[in-house]
Amino acid sequence: MPSKQATETLKVPKGVEGYGPSKEAHRYFCSPLWRKSLPTVVDRGLEGVVVGSTQLSNVEGAIGRLTYRGYDIDDLAPNATFEEIVHLLLYGHLPNRHQLDVLKRELGACRALPEPLLNAMQNVPKTAWPMDVLRTIVSGLALFSPVNAQGEHLSDVHTAIELIAKMPTIVAAWDRIRRGLDPIGPRSDLSQAGNFLYMRSGKVPHAIEEDALDTYFVLLADHSFNASTFAARVAASTRADIYASVTAALATLQGDLHGGAASAAYLTLEEVKTPENAEPYVREILNGGQRIMGMGHREYKVRDPRARHLEAMARELAEYVGDDRWYATAHALEEASRKVLQERKPGNTIYANVDFYTAPVLSDLGIPGDEFTCLFACGRIAGWSGHVLEQLADNRLIRPQASYEGPVTGPYVPIEQRGTNGARG
Ligand code: COA
């Protein structure tokens, strides 16, 4: 309902005062005149609209800078572990040694999944998409979590840590189950990244592999009010619990304009196959009116700072595995995309985003392309849960308005009197 203040500044036609159900009032509130009176007209996609505040992270798109609680990602990526970032985002500061040890112990102790959920996963069709499984099982975790006297789940920092701890276990368990293998239980002495790779393969990973995945999680941990984080905050603002809010975030992450782009970028690399095919592929895609997945960003007008770190990691991993197929193809594809997009629209350069070099990095870690979005979620859960806690700490229901542009409703038409296409208002 429009605010009273907004209506009072208008010359409201006779018979429309107040909010009575009169026909005139109804027509008035559906009219272009009323729409024009709305206090804010926003661009589609909320582009450039500030919808809230946060102390968690900041994206400075014009200069390509990303900070977590004031620390530059360029500084964090080579130096901090994912566990330190979890502490930074959830508790507001980098931990000292003791605080980090406490957090690691808690993460290690929370990794195992409830047995009934593992059993349920055994009954899922093996063709199920990993993101569908992750979203469903995360939602299912609520069924096994304690409730307070009012029957509500706790949405506190410890529930957040539990979700962060369990997410990779779900992804690794499904990875093995769908390959017809038994899931491997988590180890509490490994890092989040190391333990995930261990649960997938049964082998403790090499330090280069563990570091690469750890840095990937650091880079993905938070990104201000992106679509999935905003979805989590909207859910939390209704006082939905953290399980429901993270489930909303997971649902929002899956589309290929957001987290799904990583898997889509992988499919692109698979199709392109070799560096030589990159330019013809780009021309064909753009001529067909399609987009290059992993390129472009709503916020960054220069290269996504995370892409630089991921590209360096992709190069390093290519050396480590002794096969630069993925890296070289990705690099050629980025160059070709920039060249061709520049040709078509001079001055409007589109750069690689975080999802682009995710594809060679995760491929070289042996992770299948359709799991990339799940790995994104295993990093972003740190930010999602931080945002949910921040929202709950100073909550106000997020409920924007829309400008109604549909027909002014006519009288109800009995079904016998409707034409072959039904009846419109
Ligand atoms: N490939 C080709 N052209 C692209 C493009 C891409 N990946 N991304 C943007 N463009 C073009 C659009 O076609 C549009 O051109 P036009 O003005 O001639 O129509 C222009 O750049 C602006 O795009 P727009 O969709 O309005 O920008 P946006 O801010 O809404 O889009 C994305 C941001 C991320 C949705 C968009 O860049 C995209 O679809 N990228 C591919 C998916 C992806 O990688 N998503 C992950 C983001 S982290």
Side-chain angles (χ1 to χ4, degrees):
M1 182 63 72
S3 76
K4 192 156 186 290
Q5 202 187 357
T7 55
E8 277 169 1
T9 58
L10 284 173
K11 243 177 131 245
V12 180
K14 209 166 174 306
V16 176
E17 297 93 344
Y19 297 101
S22 76
K23 215 166 158 188
E24 290 77 11
H26 175 69
R27 281 186 187 285
Y28 178 66
F29 287 122
C30 291
S31 70
L33 179 62
W34 169 246
R35 279 208 296 279
K36 268 196 216 141
S37 78
L38 288 173
T40 324
V41 177
V42 298
D43 278 338
R44 285 167 72 227
L46 295 180
E47 189 164 356
V49 177
V50 174
V51 294
S53 60
T54 179
Q55 297 191 0
L56 286 157
S57 63
N58 191 25
V59 178
E60 292 165 72
I63 56 167
R65 200 159 95 111
L66 168 63
T67 50
Y68 297 163
R69 292 201 187 268
Y71 293 97
D72 197 313
I73 195 73
D74 285 346
D75 210 3
L76 296 173
N79 296 310
T81 62
F82 180 59
E83 285 77 2
E84 286 177 274
I85 300 301
V86 168
H87 196 287
L88 177 67
L89 293 174
L90 294 187
Y91 291 100
H93 59 94
L94 285 170
N96 62 26
R97 173 64 56 202
H98 172 69
Q99 290 164 332
L100 185 60
D101 288 344
V102 170
L103 174 64
K104 282 181 177 173
R105 268 202 299 280
E106 190 172 353
L107 283 166
C110 294
R111 285 182 177 142
L113 299 179
E115 206 57 40
L117 285 181
L118 264 180
N119 293 340
M121 285 166 80
Q122 298 281 5
N123 293 318
V124 169
K126 301 281 183 282
T127 50
W129 192 34
M131 267 305 273
D132 284 340
V133 177
L134 178 62
R135 193 186 60 244
T136 305
I137 301 299
V138 165
S139 181
L141 286 174
L143 307 174
F144 300 91
S145 89
V147 288
N148 64 16
Q150 289 75 46
E152 296 160 346
H153 298 297
L154 295 179
S155 293
D156 61 7
V157 74
H158 300 291
T159 320
I161 291 169
E162 195 184 341
L163 277 167
I164 295 167
K166 285 185 167 51
M167 207 101 113
T169 315
I170 300 169
V171 181
W174 179 243
D175 179 289
R176 290 185 67 85
I177 291 170
R178 69 175 173 154
R179 285 189 280 148
L181 303 170
D182 286 334
I184 294 176
R187 270 177 53 168
S188 57
D189 59 328
L190 297 174
S191 67
Q192 283 288 105
N195 179 57
F196 170 77
L197 293 170
Y198 163 75
M199 288 187 296
R200 258 201 93 238
S201 67
K203 287 193 301 235
V204 175
H206 189 282
I208 289 183
E209 297 171 308
E210 182 182 6
D211 282 356
L213 189 60
D214 182 73
T215 307
Y216 173 76
F217 287 158
V218 167
L219 291 168
L220 271 290
D222 198 32
H223 207 239
S224 188
F225 275 40
N226 59 87
S228 56
T229 300
F230 188 51
R233 290 192 76 127
V234 171
S237 85
T238 70
R239 288 202 248 161
D241 63 41
I242 192 166
Y243 296 97
S245 303
V246 168
T247 305
L250 279 162
T252 310
L253 186 74
Q254 79 178 48
D256 69 3
L257 294 188
H258 189 13
S263 293
Y266 167 81
L267 292 179
T268 302
L269 286 188
E270 261 209 325
E271 218 176 317
V272 174
K273 285 192 177 64
T274 65
E276 298 70 46
N277 294 337
E279 192 171 324
Y281 173 86
V282 169
R283 291 192 187 282
E284 192 186 322
I285 288 289
L286 295 180
N287 287 342
Q290 294 173 58
R291 291 176 177 214
I292 312 295
M293 288 295 137
M295 298 290 292
H297 200 277
R298 173 64 66 79
E299 292 296 315
Y300 292 116
K301 303 305 168 211
V302 293
R303 200 169 186 229
D304 184 331
R306 301 164 299 175
R308 187 174 59 252
H309 294 284
L310 286 167
E311 184 185 4
M313 268 162 54
R315 208 182 306 121
E316 198 182 323
L317 275 173
E319 263 172 46
Y320 168 71
V321 298
D323 176 1
D324 79 343
R325 179 174 51 118
W326 294 112
Y327 169 69
T329 308
H331 185 71
L333 191 64
E334 185 187 14
E335 293 295 305
S337 302
R338 273 167 45 183
K339 178 179 161 200
V340 179
L341 284 164
Q342 181 70 243
E343 257 173 46
R344 296 165 72 104
K345 258 195 164 185
N348 189 6
T349 319
I350 289 172
Y351 298 91
N353 61 47
V354 69
D355 295 313
F356 195 80
Y357 284 101
T358 290
V361 166
L362 297 186
S363 297
D364 280 337
L365 289 174
I367 296 164
D370 62 355
E371 267 173 40
F372 289 1
T373 313
C374 299
L375 268 289
F376 185 150
C378 290
R380 186 56 55 83
I381 176 65
W384 289 336
S385 40
H387 278 273
V388 168
L389 298 181
E390 189 179 57
Q391 181 68 37
L392 293 174
D394 182 22
N395 189 40
R396 179 153 171 83
L397 175 70
I398 299 174
R399 201 313 188 180
Q401 293 182 355
S403 154
Y404 176 71
E405 295 180 6
V408 177
T409 315
Y412 174 79
V413 182
I415 198 161
E416 301 76 25
Q417 293 169 25
R418 292 173 209 160
T420 42
N421 292 326
R424 286 178 205 284

